[in-house]
Amino acid sequence: MRAVVQRVNCASVSVNGEIVSAIDRGLLVFLGVETGDTDSDLMYMVNKLPSLRIFDDENGMPNCSVLDCGGSILLVSQFTLCGDARHGRRPGYSRAARPEEARTMYDRCAQLLAVQVPVQQGVFQADMQVSLVNDGPFTILLDSRRAF
C-alpha cells in the first residue's frame, strides 16, 4: 500500500463539477492499494497517518500530528500510485489491486482512520478533481512494504 501525504490548509474533491468532500487544515492522502496487500499493510497506514508529526508546534518545528492539531484527513483512492514507469514511457499498473479488492481496503482504511480523526473521502473509481492548498509545501511518501 502506498500513500502520498500532503499537509494542507484546505482540500476538496469534486466530481462532475460538484464538491463531494472537503476539509480545512489536515492531511490530503492519496492511497494506492497493491495486489497482495494484507491487514498488516492496512494497519501500517492506519497507525502511521494520524500520528505523523508534520504539523508545526509553537516553536515552528514539525512536532505535532493531525490528531494534535485537531485536523482532518481527506482520503482519495489513487491506483496510479502503484504504477511502474521504470521501463518505456507508459506506466504499467499490474501491481495495482483489482478494483473490488482495492475498494475493500480503501473503505476499511477510511473506517479505521475515522475512529481516530475526522475523515472525508473521494469517490472510488470516479473521475475526480482534487483541489488543495499545500501548507509548506510538506509532502511525504509512505509505502507499507517500506520500499522507500
Side-chain angles (χ1 to χ4, degrees):
M1 200 172 276
R2 290 185 168 181
V4 173
V5 182
Q6 296 183 312
R7 183 179 75 183
V8 297
N9 288 327
C10 60
S12 65
V13 173
S14 297
V15 176
N16 296 323
E18 190 170 321
I19 295 176
V20 295
S21 58
I23 63 168
D24 290 321
R25 188 171 192 218
L27 299 176
L28 171 59
V29 178
F30 294 102
L31 185 71
V33 180
E34 295 180 294
T35 299
D37 279 346
T38 66
D39 284 345
S40 175
D41 298 288
L42 175 66
M43 294 313 296
Y44 174 84
M45 291 297 178
V46 168
N47 292 324
K48 181 71 82 172
L49 290 167
S51 61
L52 274 176
R53 294 176 9 182
I54 62 173
F55 290 89
D56 292 347
D57 63 14
E58 61 280 351
N59 298 316
M61 298 299 295
N63 285 322
C64 298
S65 69
V66 70
L67 295 167
D68 298 327
C69 74
S72 303
I73 293 177
L74 176 53
L75 187 66
V76 177
S77 177
Q78 188 174 352
F79 80 94
T80 59
L81 291 178
C82 305
D84 183 353
R86 292 176 293 175
H87 308 287
R89 292 188 174 91
R90 182 179 308 200
Y93 299 103
S94 61
R95 292 178 53 189
R98 298 176 84 44
E100 315 79 49
E101 177 187 350
R103 176 178 228 134
T104 298
M105 292 290 260
Y106 169 75
D107 287 341
R108 285 184 60 212
C109 187
Q111 291 167 352
L112 292 168
L113 286 170
V115 172
Q116 304 173 67
V117 61
V119 174
Q120 295 289 315
Q121 290 180 251
V123 178
F124 192 85
Q125 284 190 301
D127 181 11
M128 296 175 276
Q129 289 70 52
V130 179
S131 298
L132 68 133
V133 176
N134 192 319
D135 180 21
F138 207 119
T139 302
I140 300 289
L141 304 175
L142 296 177
D143 186 300
S144 63
R145 298 175 190 180
R146 294 156 186 93
F148 49 79

